[in-house]
Amino acid sequence: MSKRTRSNPLGIKLDRRAFLKGAALGLAGTALPLNKADASFWEAFFQKHFREMNETEIKKVIERLEKEYGQKYKKEIEVGNEKAIPGVLFGYGLDLSRCIGCRRCVYACVKENNQSRDPQIHWISVLRFKKGEKWIDLENSERYYNPAQVPEPGYFYMPVQCQQCENPPCVRACPTQATWKEPDGIVVIDYNWCIGCRYCMAACPYGARHFNWAEPNVPQEELNPETHYLGNRPRYRGTVEKCTFCIQRTRNGKYPACVEICPVGARKFGNLLDPNSEIRYAIEHKRVFRLKEDLNTYPKFYYFFAYGL
Amino acid sequence: MLGSRYKKFIYSAALIAPLSFLLFSYAEPAERDIPKFFVPPPPFSEGIFPCSQCHKYMPVNRKQRKLEQFHTDIVLKHMPGGWCFDCHNPDDRDKLRLANGKLVSFEESYYICGQCHGVVFRDWKTGLHGKRTGMWDGKKQYLLCVHCHWPHEPRFKPIQPLPPPVKPTDIK
């Protein structure tokens, strides 16, 4: 077959194949904003999936992120990469007979995990239920209660956050595998890999995932500089985020921020594989239940009433 | 005659030995299962401890009465009909006194509470009741009962909640 060329007003003779190649390259180029053509942007663009990177690649990415965040927030920010501790499966307990619904946990979480202040993102929602009514009906609970003092007589409170399911529906729904379950049971998100399709939010039966509709806004002086790649590092617009049991704290042995702040000590945390942990004691000695057990998500978040009936 | 006595002794010794063993083995873990974790000092108000600095030269008045000169802020809303000496030791004021007469220090006041609140005491020892801070797999801080519960009126005081989240309808 002879090469078909066509002439144009400029007099350039271009065969069909070369023209299409050029057009394809040109189109690919238009997909990238040219005003951000610095090296760090291209590195971020071609960054691999977190689980496919080796140690040196992760280190390089983290160095780049620390530099970026440092420039943006004008302070030193540490992005950690602690691995899951072998023989640890995190579990969480919440004593509903003691929670007074004061929302201290919500704001401690916001502070620790660098959630956006405006637009507001809260990883924990405290639900209020009337005593004695059909209460597991989450849709009819009250989130926006605002009395002068809590606890109010005739009500009880139930904080809901990510339940860290053993069989997480959000992970199955993610088309890019930007979210997955770590060996210690924490469901994490790689914010650099998330495309913001929000399928995971639709899949989550607990409403535990939150979307950054606008650029997250954290005041520079309030930013917590001790972060983790998979946890509380600053997020981007158009990414989904969620509770990670304070991965940056718990993988270093500390309690999550909500446990530390709770004024009544209703929140319990520990290793499910350690028979001496308080969470195991709760499961073995108290009547625990998990939210929406019928969906077979097997949450690692156990609610109980320590005083029983 | 002597033989049968001897036999009796053997029998009783054989009976007592395992029993006493049981007694000791029971007593030992009860002492041991008190957590050896960091417990901060009791939350005394300024200048109130040691109690003996005032009470040393005062005669002990065991009569149940309304306090008018000192400790007037204390209204006992804990165990109706109770009186100071149910927990405080009249002879050595710097100690607390258990129902069985044993003296305990203010740092170990959980024994006082544990006399009546056995289930809560058991939960507290394992870490289920009360606030835990520190490390989930290491050094934890245990709080005394009195850090959260004012012992003379132990019910929690209501507190002001932090603001509710922004309603979707309020987003501009």
Side-chain angles (χ1 to χ4, degrees):
Chain A
M1 206 169 92
S2 64
K3 271 194 176 177
R4 277 163 51 200
T5 55
R6 66 196 281 188
S7 58
N8 55 36
L10 293 173
I12 303 166
K13 289 201 168 171
L14 199 63
D15 64 58
R16 181 181 162 79
R17 182 163 295 262
F19 172 76
L20 286 177
K21 269 186 197 165
L25 272 175
L27 271 178
T30 56
L32 301 172
L34 289 169
N35 56 347
K36 280 194 187 174
D38 56 338
S40 123
F41 172 80
W42 289 103
E43 275 170 35
F45 190 82
F46 289 112
Q47 184 184 317
K48 279 202 260 180
H49 189 282
F50 186 77
R51 286 186 293 176
E52 288 173 352
M53 286 193 276
N54 59 33
E55 281 306 309
T56 47
E57 282 169 320
I58 289 175
K59 213 178 142 223
K60 227 177 124 191
V61 165
I62 282 176
E63 268 170 28
R64 191 192 77 233
L65 288 173
E66 284 179 347
K67 212 177 115 200
E68 271 180 33
Y69 296 148
Q71 281 169 356
K72 191 176 171 194
Y73 291 99
K74 307 276 184 295
K75 74 199 239 190
E76 201 138 304
I77 286 154
E78 205 180 305
V79 181
N81 177 32
E82 288 88 3
K83 297 271 174 302
I85 309 161
V88 170
L89 188 67
F90 287 126
Y92 206 108
L94 209 153
D95 184 353
L96 292 178
S97 61
R98 269 192 276 158
C99 177
I100 56 170
C102 66
R103 296 204 188 92
R104 298 285 186 280
C105 49
V106 175
Y107 288 88
C109 174
V110 166
K111 208 172 148 208
E112 168 69 29
N113 289 301
N114 295 326
Q115 273 125 279
S116 173
R117 311 299 203 268
D118 181 31
Q120 187 184 60
I121 287 183
H122 286 174
W123 287 357
I124 305 174
S125 353
V126 186
L127 308 179
R128 185 181 74 173
F129 297 93
K130 221 179 198 133
K131 277 183 186 168
E133 282 189 359
K134 182 195 169 209
W135 61 274
I136 204 80
D137 184 11
L138 296 178
E139 276 69 32
N140 290 332
S141 65
E142 170 66 286
R143 282 182 62 183
Y144 307 103
Y145 67 91
N146 194 19
Q149 282 189 324
V150 285
E152 305 152 273
Y155 291 99
F156 75 102
Y157 307 89
M158 180 157 127
V160 179
Q161 61 203 73
C162 176
Q163 310 278 309
Q164 314 290 358
C165 308
E166 191 55 34
N167 178 19
C170 52
V171 167
R172 263 174 297 145
C174 181
T176 62
Q177 298 184 16
T179 180
W180 67 92
K181 194 178 75 192
E182 285 276 294
D184 53 6
I186 302 175
V187 177
V188 295
I189 303 172
D190 182 351
Y191 311 117
N192 279 59
W193 208 253
C194 173
I195 56 168
C197 66
R198 292 173 280 133
Y199 281 23
C200 57
M201 289 171 69
C204 176
Y206 305 104
R209 288 176 163 253
H210 304 271
F211 186 64
N212 284 292
W213 288 96
E215 187 70 31
N217 166 21
V218 185
Q220 186 255 347
E221 66 279 3
E222 286 177 33
L223 192 88
N224 175 13
E226 276 164 40
T227 68
H228 190 280
Y229 183 89
L230 301 169
N232 61 339
R233 68 184 169 106
R235 268 82 65 184
Y236 310 101
R237 181 168 62 92
T239 56
V240 172
E241 58 182 66
K242 62 180 276 297
C243 160
T244 59
F245 278 172
C246 280
I247 197 166
Q248 69 282 357
R249 295 172 63 95
T250 49
R251 283 202 178 164
N252 292 319
K254 284 194 265 183
Y255 277 120
C258 47
V259 175
E260 293 257 330
I261 198 83
C262 183
V264 293
R267 289 169 170 269
K268 300 291 153 197
F269 184 79
N271 181 5
L272 287 171
L273 306 180
D274 170 12
N276 297 321
S277 65
E278 53 239 46
I279 183 72
R280 277 286 289 272
Y281 181 85
I283 292 168
E284 283 158 22
H285 293 86
K286 303 291 171 192
R287 295 177 304 133
V288 297
F289 73 93
R290 301 191 275 188
L291 207 50
K292 302 191 183 182
E293 265 176 9
D294 45 334
L295 299 176
N296 285 347
T297 52
Y298 302 102
K300 286 187 281 294
F301 201 100
Y302 297 86
Y303 293 97
F304 58 96
F305 292 88
Y307 295 127
L309 289 171
Chain B
M1 187 74 186
L2 207 88
S4 69
R5 256 192 189 176
Y6 185 66
K7 255 184 195 168
K8 258 186 190 167
F9 175 73
I10 291 275
Y11 282 145
S12 52
L15 205 73
I16 287 164
L19 276 176
S20 62
F21 171 75
L22 264 177
L23 212 80
F24 283 121
S25 63
Y26 174 75
E28 217 229 327
E31 287 298 309
R32 214 161 17 122
D33 64 1
I34 299 299
K36 292 278 178 288
F37 298 115
F38 171 52
V39 178
F44 290 121
S45 34
E46 194 75 30
I48 204 156
F49 196 80
C51 309
S52 59
Q53 65 189 353
C54 300
H55 282 279
K56 212 173 178 179
Y57 306 106
M58 272 186 218
V60 179
N61 184 354
R62 289 170 199 264
K63 220 183 97 200
Q64 198 159 334
R65 65 196 186 279
K66 196 173 182 299
L67 297 178
E68 272 157 2
Q69 270 186 300
F70 294 102
H71 304 305
T72 46
D73 55 326
I74 295 173
V75 182
L76 199 63
K77 285 192 183 162
H78 189 182
M79 200 174 67
W83 179 238
C84 310
F85 298 135
D86 293 340
C87 303
H88 293 274
N89 181 33
D91 304 317
D92 176 6
R93 293 296 180 124
D94 297 336
K95 287 274 165 69
L96 297 167
R97 191 172 165 278
L98 297 184
N100 62 9
K102 210 181 144 195
L103 301 186
V104 291
S105 67
F106 277 90
E107 282 77 30
E108 295 171 319
S109 54
Y110 40 79
Y111 285 117
I112 293 278
C113 314
Q115 295 179 120
C116 298
H117 307 279
V119 177
V120 177
F121 188 38
R122 196 178 61 201
D123 283 355
W124 178 82
K125 283 188 283 192
T126 56
L128 200 67
H129 183 101
K131 183 169 167 158
R132 294 288 163 280
T133 53
M135 316 288 269
W136 57 264
D137 63 344
K139 204 176 165 195
K140 283 175 221 219
Q141 190 190 59
Y142 273 59
L143 295 178
L144 295 176
C145 316
V146 294
H147 280 112
C148 305
H149 304 275
W150 169 238
H152 307 112
E153 192 186 347
R155 184 164 280 280
F156 267 85
K157 294 264 176 304
I159 53 171
Q160 194 188 356
L162 292 179
V166 177
K167 276 186 192 171
T169 48
D170 292 343
I171 298 171
K172 277 157 266 296

